[in-house]
Amino acid sequence: MTARTPNPPTGLRAATLPPVAPRPTLRDVATAAGVHPATASRALNEATRSLVRPATVERVREVATALGYQVNPIARSLKTSRSETVGVLVPDLTNPLFPPIVRGIEDALGASGYTVLTANTDNDPARAASNFAAMQARQVDGFIVATARLDDPLMHEAAERGVPMVLVNRLTEHLDVSAVAGDDATGIARTVDHLVGLGHRDIAHVAGPLNVSTGSVRLRAFRTAMQQHGLPDDRVVVAEAYSDAAGHAATLELLDGRAPTAIVAGNDLLAIGSYDALEERGLSCPEDVSVVGFNDMPFISRLRPPLTSVRVPQYDLGVESARLLLDVLSGRTATPRMVLLPVQLIVRGSTAPPRG
Amino acid sequence: MTARTPNPPTGLRAATLPPVAPRPTLRDVATAAGVHPATASRALNEATRSLVRPATVERVREVATALGYQVNPIARSLKTSRSETVGVLVPDLTNPLFPPIVRGIEDALGASGYTVLTANTDNDPARAASNFAAMQARQVDGFIVATARLDDPLMHEAAERGVPMVLVNRLTEHLDVSAVAGDDATGIARTVDHLVGLGHRDIAHVAGPLNVSTGSVRLRAFRTAMQQHGLPDDRVVVAEAYSDAAGHAATLELLDGRAPTAIVAGNDLLAIGSYDALEERGLSCPEDVSVVGFNDMPFISRLRPPLTSVRVPQYDLGVESARLLLDVLSGRTATPRMVLLPVQLIVRGSTAPPRG
DNA sequence: TTGTACGCGTTATCAA
DNA sequence: TTGATAACGCGTACAA
């Protein structure tokens, strides 16, 4: 059995022998360096270092590393009322779309000394609100939100209150904050071009939920693209969620009428659902029906058949959203920016010319 | 302008117009309630509430909700040197194995009021150490570690210092802390049983890295199982990492000799690499070579062919590790516990009787 | 260039 | 049962 006191009430610490060397404080460093704590603070702090005589800086820093000093971010936060922490809201980490985004965020933010708090909202506005509030209570300096709805009171309220934040992937209408997303419209346009080029004319869209921007933007883009090719734009069914189950249900509904020769799915999960529905109806892909996904999720190329999909640079989405937030936090950026990252249609085995 | 306040601090904070209402402090509550801040603190605090006259408690709480008071966790942490926060170390969030674990952790810990900080180590001990230190600086109350190596000085040091922590999935030898993992040995045994039952006798193992417990335990289990069937246990090649690329390389190496009729892969990613290698060598799965994975990652059933794999209850792994940590943090648990969660072989299309 | 003095918001300890 | 006081560790006006 080992000695305890994981985090002793730092008072008279001499009493505890074997266990923890209490972390040295700024005072300790100052004393050891023979200066006042304020001076030590200035010497150790990037922004105020210039106020201190170089020799003193040197001495303080040496002592600090010698003692293994690390600032106590808690104390600093209390003083500065910033926490060097940002909150990230995602719908669900187990949706393969989001881990790369989160990693991009963590990598970019971590490089600037920020720590990331993530929360899963499961697409529930109430959970989003409570997570948001909890993170604010923890004094996060800002938010990166991947859960925004097209009409999202929470986002509007936060923006009005001046909470630093950035939207990623999903946008909110009429909201004046920075945002990053893939160029969905172009992605869908290229998809339709590709299918039409293969000879398809009867193309359907399994749309994502229309209360999030990706669903509604891609639907609009689908309609526009079809019109531009002089094709009917009304072969649309809306899925209840971005899940394989919802895609399955929506596609079944579609197939209950005359089957299209190609399906443009709102994202890869919906496309997987389409695979299931086709199989269930005895239709094969791509022979009977071509299918295209969206996002190019990890491992999606390994489905049977390999899914043609629109590659969205998810990691970069995360990195870029982090950059935008850093801009906001640094106060450099006056006006919100909207960044659309280029996407690319990756053609694989799930699309082929129509039969006959 | 619509009615707002999705999750309002339930009271009359209607006064705030455009700017930011500075968050009310404990002092504000105390003043408004006509008591001393210390009393307000006691009234609002679960543990000390009993020290306060019920009527006073009532009054303070009413005022608190009316003002929309929320404790400042930063200030509290500074005082208590606890943060209601735990650190989670994972190798890489984009490895599909980990999101479910992390979600399990977040769900379970969140229910107890804890917030989760995650960091990706990319299997780099140096990054693990620096992330660990950074989290300690942030006063995390404990750790859940999914990155432990079989021989891991960082873990030993932390355990000796009495840092509350729990290992999940990957274990460290001779380390006296609580841990949760899948029952790897049984999983491998069932796998070998299954293959032998199909008629395979020439079975190879593409092992994961031996410096993590999963790699070494599964290898040992493979050898044991093969011996019990009276079969040669030396058809083993070790992959350099748990990645499809490493699995690909390792399997190629294996195939450079006489091809086995079945491959037991150290995990699903390695199995995917085996698929690639087989295809590259013109061998088909399962006709020429059967393949079994481990973990039953999300969407792994949708590969071509659907991968037979050992299902590990990843979400439950996360939940259980959180519970164990909560036990440690509450001080209830004296002795470390080791929990092995049952696994289950899921037979799919990647395994079949050998040719001829 | 450095030191002084104070406060960030909370809780622990002591006294009443 | 409540109040007074101090302290957690740090940053920052202000003074020297």
Side-chain angles (χ1 to χ4, degrees):
Chain A
M1 163 147 277
T2 66
R4 247 350 133 9
T5 54
N7 221 353
T10 16
L12 35 146
R13 57 277 258 270
T16 54
L17 295 178
V20 180
R23 297 172 33 135
T25 162
L26 188 56
R27 232 214 232 18
D28 299 333
V29 175
T31 310
V35 299
H36 192 274
T39 305
S41 170
R42 287 188 280 250
L44 262 18
N45 237 311
E46 190 65 47
T48 48
R49 202 192 309 283
S50 56
L51 301 177
V52 179
R53 188 157 50 96
T56 311
V57 171
E58 187 60 18
R59 188 154 35 97
V60 171
R61 302 185 70 176
E62 272 170 15
V63 172
T65 58
L67 295 183
Y69 171 76
Q70 292 179 232
V71 304
N72 181 330
I74 304 281
R76 169 181 286 173
S77 290
L78 183 58
K79 186 66 191 164
T80 61
S81 66
R82 288 176 300 103
S83 62
E84 307 269 281
T85 283
V86 326
V88 174
L89 257 36
V90 296
D92 178 12
L93 210 49
T94 63
N95 178 333
L97 172 63
F98 296 105
I101 296 178
V102 172
R103 270 231 66 172
I105 293 173
E106 291 190 348
D107 288 355
L109 246 29
S112 296
Y114 281 85
T115 296
V116 172
L117 251 39
T118 43
N120 302 89
T121 69
D122 286 324
N123 289 312
D124 176 354
R127 286 196 59 171
S130 79
N131 285 322
F132 196 90
M135 287 177 162
Q136 282 212 106
R138 298 228 175 220
Q139 307 269 42
V140 297
D141 297 338
F143 287 90
I144 296 180
V145 179
T147 60
R149 302 165 90 83
L150 209 49
D151 174 25
D152 198 322
L154 176 63
M155 293 298 103
H156 273 106
E157 192 205 2
E160 266 167 35
R161 292 203 328 230
V163 177
M165 59 187 215
V166 170
L167 267 35
V168 62
N169 194 41
R170 298 183 179 180
L171 312 180
T172 293
E173 280 180 322
H174 315 307
L175 187 69
D176 200 32
V177 306
S178 286
V180 201
D183 185 354
D184 286 5
T186 301
I188 292 290
R190 292 296 153 271
T191 299
V192 172
D193 291 350
H194 165 64
L195 292 171
V196 171
L198 287 172
H200 291 276
R201 300 188 54 78
D202 188 1
I203 305 173
H205 181 42
V206 174
L210 300 183
N211 54 7
V212 299
S213 66
T214 50
S216 106
V217 165
R218 290 170 197 170
L219 169 56
R220 203 157 42 220
F222 173 77
R223 292 219 153 103
T224 303
M226 291 296 281
Q227 287 160 13
Q228 286 180 345
H229 285 285
L231 297 173
D233 68 349
D234 57 347
R235 291 279 269 157
V236 171
V237 53
V238 179
E240 299 213 332
Y242 277 128
S243 68
D244 47 357
H248 177 232
T251 306
L252 282 183
E253 192 181 324
L254 190 68
L255 296 177
D256 279 344
R258 171 182 41 93
T261 66
I263 293 175
V264 176
N267 79 356
D268 294 335
L269 292 174
L270 294 177
I272 289 176
S274 293
Y275 276 17
D276 291 344
L278 290 173
E279 187 173 347
E280 194 170 323
R281 286 289 189 266
L283 296 168
S284 69
C285 172
E287 292 78 7
D288 297 313
V289 181
S290 289
V291 175
V292 183
F294 207 104
N295 283 339
D296 196 35
M297 279 179 3
F299 301 105
I300 205 70
S301 64
R302 300 183 176 275
L303 296 190
R304 163 173 38 193
L307 183 64
T308 294
S309 187
V310 175
R311 174 170 299 167
V312 177
Q314 300 144 42
Y315 182 84
D316 296 338
L317 238 48
V319 170
E320 190 58 31
S321 65
R323 285 210 194 108
L324 288 177
L325 185 62
L326 288 172
D327 283 349
V328 175
L329 293 178
S330 72
R332 286 194 302 270
T333 290
T335 56
R337 287 206 301 143
M338 161 74 131
V339 178
L340 281 195
L341 263 32
V343 300
Q344 185 187 4
L345 179 70
I346 309 292
V347 176
R348 302 199 181 93
S350 68
T351 47
R355 268 217 158 110
Chain B
M1 168 159 267
T2 65
R4 269 318 153 18
T5 55
N7 211 2
T10 20
L12 37 143
R13 86 207 200 324
T16 58
L17 296 176
V20 177
R23 295 171 34 139
T25 160
L26 187 57
R27 230 212 228 29
D28 299 333
V29 175
T31 310
V35 298
H36 192 274
T39 304
S41 170
R42 287 187 280 252
L44 262 17
N45 237 311
E46 190 65 48
T48 48
R49 202 195 307 289
S50 56
L51 302 177
V52 180
R53 187 158 50 97
T56 311
V57 170
E58 187 61 17
R59 188 155 34 95
V60 171
R61 302 184 70 177
E62 273 170 15
V63 172
T65 58
L67 294 182
Y69 170 76
Q70 293 178 230
V71 305
N72 182 331
I74 305 281
R76 169 179 287 173
S77 290
L78 182 59
K79 186 63 190 170
T80 63
S81 65
R82 287 175 301 103
S83 63
E84 306 271 279
T85 284
V86 327
V88 174
L89 258 34
V90 295
D92 179 12
L93 209 49
T94 63
N95 178 333
L97 172 63
F98 296 105
I101 296 178
V102 172
R103 271 231 63 172
I105 293 173
E106 291 191 348
D107 289 354
L109 246 28
S112 296
Y114 281 86
T115 296
V116 172
L117 252 39
T118 44
N120 303 87
T121 69
D122 286 324
N123 289 313
D124 176 354
R127 287 196 58 172
S130 80
N131 285 323
F132 196 89
M135 286 176 162
Q136 282 211 106
R138 298 230 174 220
Q139 308 268 42
V140 297
D141 298 338
F143 289 89
I144 296 180
V145 179
T147 60
R149 302 164 90 81
L150 209 49
D151 173 24
D152 198 322
L154 177 63
M155 293 299 102
H156 273 106
E157 191 204 0
E160 264 166 37
R161 292 204 327 231
V163 177
M165 60 188 214
V166 171
L167 267 35
V168 62
N169 195 42
R170 298 182 180 181
L171 313 180
T172 292
E173 279 180 321
H174 314 308
L175 186 68
D176 198 31
V177 306
S178 286
V180 200
D183 185 354
D184 286 5
T186 301
I188 292 290
R190 292 295 152 273
T191 299
V192 172
D193 290 350
H194 166 63
L195 292 171
V196 171
L198 286 173
H200 292 276
R201 300 189 53 80
D202 187 1
I203 306 173
H205 181 41
V206 175
L210 300 184
N211 54 6
V212 298
S213 66
T214 50
S216 105
V217 166
R218 290 169 197 169
L219 169 55
R220 203 156 42 220
F222 172 78
R223 292 220 153 103
T224 303
M226 291 295 280
Q227 287 160 12
Q228 287 182 344
H229 285 285
L231 297 174
D233 67 348
D234 57 347
R235 290 280 269 155
V236 171
V237 53
V238 179
E240 299 214 332
Y242 277 129
S243 69
D244 46 357
H248 178 231
T251 307
L252 283 183
E253 192 181 324
L254 190 67
L255 297 177
D256 278 344
R258 171 183 42 92
T261 66
I263 294 176
V264 176
N267 81 355
D268 293 335
L269 292 175
L270 294 177
I272 290 177
S274 293
Y275 276 18
D276 292 344
L278 290 174
E279 186 173 348
E280 194 170 322
R281 286 288 189 266
L283 296 168
S284 70
C285 172
E287 292 78 8
D288 297 312
V289 181
S290 289
V291 175
V292 183
F294 207 104
N295 283 339
D296 196 35
M297 279 178 3
F299 301 104
I300 206 71
S301 64
R302 300 182 176 277
L303 296 189
R304 166 175 36 195
L307 183 66
T308 294
S309 187
V310 175
R311 175 170 298 166
V312 176
Q314 300 144 43
Y315 182 85
D316 297 338
L317 237 47
V319 170
E320 190 58 32
S321 65
R323 284 209 195 109
L324 288 177
L325 184 61
L326 288 173
D327 282 350
V328 176
L329 292 179
S330 71
R332 285 194 303 269
T333 291
T335 56
R337 287 205 300 142
M338 161 75 131
V339 178
L340 281 195
L341 263 32
V343 300
Q344 184 187 6
L345 179 69
I346 309 292
V347 176
R348 301 201 181 93
S350 68
T351 47
R355 269 219 158 108

